[in-house]
Amino acid sequence: RKEVEQDPGPFNVPEGATVAFNCTYSNSASQSFFWYRQDCRKEPKLLMSVYSSGNEDGRFTAQLNRASQYISLLIRDSKLSDSATYLCVVTSNTGNQFYFGTGTSLTVIP
Amino acid sequence: DTEVTQTPKHLVMGMTNKKSLKCEQHMGHRAMYWYKQKAKKPPELMFVYSYEKLSINESVPSRFSPECPNSSLLNLHLHALQPEDSALYLCASSQDPPGARGEQFFGPGTRLTVL
């Protein structure tokens, strides 16, 4: 079983739409959780860390549900510039290994 | 300085060549990573260095040889590669251990083509 499962999409949404991505993980003792964004032919860049209390940064909201072992990312009022691949990342129980989901491709259409 | 640098940006090599990829960070991170990424796939872990010692080798073929000369530098020596090794090679660093809120910082990658 994979450490992290993520729907690869693609998600094609109109500008202004709200879109949500989910990711499940297998190790209940995982320590840390992140969403990264990767543009075509670029390196992954941290979008948000994900905390049990949930966190919000502008149009982006991340949630962690430890009981059900999933994390989510909500993007409100989608912009064309949000088009990218979104990777969920979960660390091991010791925290020193990072496990990547397959990535979810988002295209925001004018 | 929250930057990880990698050189070269692009590399084309033949199957008999020997080349090296270089990575540098000055964030005081003591964990450094090499990943391989193929198109439309997530990064795939190759090696982890912790305090300049190799801590994880994900069964990578010996034609890839990592080296960590000091806490800021990470090299990947390449020899007798195959065309299927063509990919984007990403270096990353993090605190060690990353802790509850530690994340990885990635370099821009080296795009490798093996002819």
Side-chain angles (χ1 to χ4, degrees), chain A residues 43-46, chain B residues 1-5 24-29 91-93 95 103-108:
Chain A
E43 74 274 25
K45 292 194 175 176
L46 180 70
Chain B
D1 181 2
T2 56
E3 190 179 43
V4 177
T5 59
E24 190 167 2
Q25 57 88 15
H26 294 288
M27 292 178 276
H29 290 167
C91 172
S93 71
Q95 296 171 2
E103 72 269 26
Q104 286 183 316
F105 292 81
F106 283 86

Side-chain angles (χ1 to χ4, degrees), chain A residues 1-14:
Chain A
R1 186 182 169 189
K2 285 186 181 177
E3 296 283 345
V4 183
E5 300 271 6
Q6 188 177 0
D7 180 354
F11 284 66
N12 299 314
V13 302

Side-chain angles (χ1 to χ4, degrees), chain B residues 14 30 36 39-40 45 59 63 81 83 85 89 99 101-102 107 109:
Chain B
R30 302 309 294 270
K36 172 183 176 180
K40 299 191 188 300
L45 183 66
S59 303
R63 57 186 185 268
L81 294 194
D85 296 322
Y89 288 82
R101 299 191 175 193

Side-chain angles (χ1 to χ4, degrees), chain A residues 90-110:
Chain A
V90 175
T91 66
S92 62
N93 53 315
T94 54
N96 61 359
Q97 270 190 279
F98 292 76
Y99 298 104
F100 284 77
T102 52
T104 299
S105 172
L106 171 68
T107 301
V108 180
I109 304 162

Side-chain angles (χ1 to χ4, degrees), chain B residues 30-50:
Chain B
R30 302 309 294 270
M32 295 186 78
Y33 310 77
W34 279 115
Y35 288 88
K36 172 183 176 180
Q37 188 175 27
K38 295 282 231 180
K40 299 191 188 300
K41 298 285 188 185
E44 181 184 327
L45 183 66
M46 299 174 73
F47 303 104
V48 181
Y49 271 83
S50 173

Side-chain angles (χ1 to χ4, degrees), chain A residues 32 34 36 38 41 43 95 97-98, chain B residues 37 98-100 102 104 107 111:
Chain A
S32 304
F34 308 96
Y36 278 76
Q38 186 170 25
R41 302 181 72 82
E43 74 274 25
Q97 270 190 279
F98 292 76
Chain B
Q37 188 175 27
Q104 286 183 316
R111 192 160 297 279

Side-chain angles (χ1 to χ4, degrees), chain B residues 76-110:
Chain B
L76 185 63
H77 302 299
L78 314 173
H79 174 54
L81 294 194
Q82 304 296 311
E84 60 264 29
D85 296 322
S86 298
L88 179 68
Y89 288 82
L90 292 160
C91 172
S93 71
S94 72
Q95 296 171 2
D96 190 359
R101 299 191 175 193
E103 72 269 26
Q104 286 183 316
F105 292 81
F106 283 86
T110 294

